[in-house]
Amino acid sequence: MGVVGRVYWSAMERIMSRERIALRSLLLLTGMCVGSFPLPAAWGQESDNAFDQATADTKGSTSLPAVRPKTQEEIDAEVRAELEAYERRLREVADAYGPPDGGKQLSKQPDLWIDRENKRIYLDGYVALRRGQIEMLACPVGTKEHESIIAAFASSKEVHAALLALGTQSGTPVRFQPSFLPPTGQAIRIWIMWYDEKGDFQVVDAREWIQNVQTNQSMKPDWVFAGSGFWKDPESGTEHYMADSGDMICVSNFSTSMLDVPMESSAQEADLMFMPFTDRIPKSDTPVRLVLAPIPNPTDAAETEADRAFDVQPTAKALPASPIDGKDG
């Protein structure tokens, strides 16, 4: 987990630590009142300086340790401060790059663009995971970073709409019953761009970041635009786009995937097929930009240069190193 993730979880850990201290104090008082009270053995092995110091200061005394629990208002204020720091850190990462040449901004924040002339979608994110088995190449921020190489700053719904705006044809998500049917849809080539620690521009086919654990080779097939789906909340009647929960660009089959691989790829933990090519991926929290390029469906017509646009490697013009003026910080 990178710095961005640690900022969020530190708030949760602090609260749990305070609550544990308060609980210990209560049990200590109970033990004093009724005689011997066997505290859990593991507590004696924990390194909790605040509690250890408080109990040490009261040895031989029947008074309570001088530990005042935080009020709910104080806890809420600290959590808000931690989450605000998390949001600021996210925007710092998101604002690392300016808009791509020829791109029109689609999202409220400058994180998603469409280039109609070159038939490309640009999507900003950061490196969230470099080791371990994975189920996604990319997920929206705040969803499945624990099993996705990249966390993206736009929602799956927004990216879906951008692909439709390019005329990309969605298909059908995977089906498991009565028998397995792979996901379908127009194929999508994905590129990843970033600047390395020396400041040099880098670009790679996204499949080069994904290792097949059976062959130890890069993933072979391009993704397909499966299209996910919607579910309706029975109480509110509100419809929700299912891929917004995390299944943006998948390497394991999900019936909720927006983009999926057109092959059988289990989502069961023991049978996961892919893992990151760690040595090829920059350090955690590195800002990256994804380029989604629809691959034209095969036809009988003669192939033109425009039909091969998806295969043209992006250049540094699509990744200005300096942030634009006016970005929210």
Side-chain angles (χ1 to χ4, degrees):
M1 182 182 294
V3 173
V4 174
R6 288 196 297 271
V7 170
Y8 175 81
W9 286 111
S10 65
M12 303 301 109
E13 290 170 354
R14 275 213 246 164
I15 293 171
M16 292 176 69
S17 177
R18 286 196 298 270
E19 296 302 322
R20 189 170 63 250
I21 293 171
L23 177 60
R24 286 185 187 175
S25 299
L26 178 61
L27 289 177
L28 183 62
L29 174 62
T30 305
M32 290 174 179
C33 294
V34 301
S36 177
F37 188 97
L39 296 178
W43 284 8
Q45 301 169 6
E46 292 181 2
S47 176
D48 195 325
N49 293 335
F51 179 75
D52 294 342
Q53 184 61 49
T55 53
D57 293 343
T58 58
K59 284 184 177 179
S61 171
T62 57
S63 61
L64 280 174
V67 178
R68 181 184 69 83
K70 294 282 188 179
T71 66
Q72 189 60 50
E73 290 77 12
E74 291 171 325
I75 292 173
D76 290 345
E78 290 192 6
V79 171
R80 281 195 297 270
E82 293 281 0
L83 293 178
E84 287 170 3
Y86 167 75
E87 291 291 339
R88 287 194 299 271
R89 174 57 180 154
L90 278 182
R91 286 316 316 167
E92 288 173 5
V93 175
D95 293 347
Y97 304 131
D101 186 45
K104 179 181 178 181
Q105 182 176 322
L106 294 179
S107 55
K108 182 178 179 180
Q109 295 282 5
D111 303 321
L112 178 68
W113 296 265
I114 184 172
D115 182 347
R116 295 181 184 275
E117 181 178 351
N118 295 302
K119 295 188 178 301
R120 295 188 169 197
I121 301 297
Y122 298 98
L123 171 63
D124 283 357
Y126 69 91
V127 174
L129 184 70
R130 299 178 67 248
R131 299 181 185 275
Q133 291 178 306
I134 54 173
E135 295 181 352
M136 291 94 195
L137 167 69
C139 68
V141 163
T143 58
K144 296 185 176 181
E145 286 93 328
H146 62 289
E147 51 197 4
S148 177
I149 296 176
I150 295 168
F153 292 113
S155 69
S156 299
K157 177 171 65 261
E158 291 173 321
V159 179
H160 183 127
L163 288 169
L164 291 179
L166 285 183
T168 315
Q169 297 178 8
S170 62
T172 57
V174 64
R175 298 177 186 175
F176 299 102
Q177 298 294 336
S179 60
F180 177 82
L181 288 176
T184 65
Q186 189 167 343
I188 308 291
R189 177 66 49 82
I190 301 179
W191 304 87
I192 305 173
M193 304 182 293
W194 75 99
Y195 284 93
D196 63 22
E197 293 180 332
K198 297 180 180 179
D200 295 330
F201 173 76
Q202 303 291 338
V203 59
V204 66
D205 186 317
R207 294 172 295 178
E208 295 296 318
W209 277 17
I210 300 169
Q211 181 180 16
N212 187 314
V213 298
Q214 298 173 353
T215 67
N216 293 324
Q217 302 297 313
S218 301
M219 191 180 86
K220 298 302 182 186
D222 285 293
W223 284 268
V224 294
F225 184 23
S228 189
F230 289 86
W231 73 275
K232 180 179 289 188
D233 187 316
E235 295 185 2
S236 67
T238 304
E239 285 194 333
H240 300 272
Y241 184 64
M242 291 189 288
D244 278 342
S245 65
D247 304 335
M248 177 184 278
I249 305 176
C250 301
V251 296
S252 291
N253 301 138
F254 291 96
S255 60
T256 53
S257 298
M258 184 192 74
L259 297 188
D260 204 344
V261 289
M263 56 184 285
E264 188 168 7
S265 179
S266 176
Q268 299 300 314
E269 184 176 356
D271 300 318
L272 293 177
M273 184 177 292
F274 297 106
M275 62 187 297
F277 249 126
T278 303
D279 294 342
R280 301 177 181 180
I281 301 173
K283 66 181 183 179
S284 295
D285 299 334
T286 297
V288 298
R289 177 165 291 167
L290 301 178
V291 183
L292 280 60
I295 300 174
N297 292 321
T299 66
D300 294 332
E303 189 175 68
T304 66
E305 184 176 342
D307 291 332
R308 300 296 303 177
F310 70 90
D311 214 17
V312 177
Q313 194 174 78
T315 68
K317 288 185 177 181
L319 193 69
S322 300
I324 60 173
D325 293 333
K327 273 195 176 183
D328 295 335

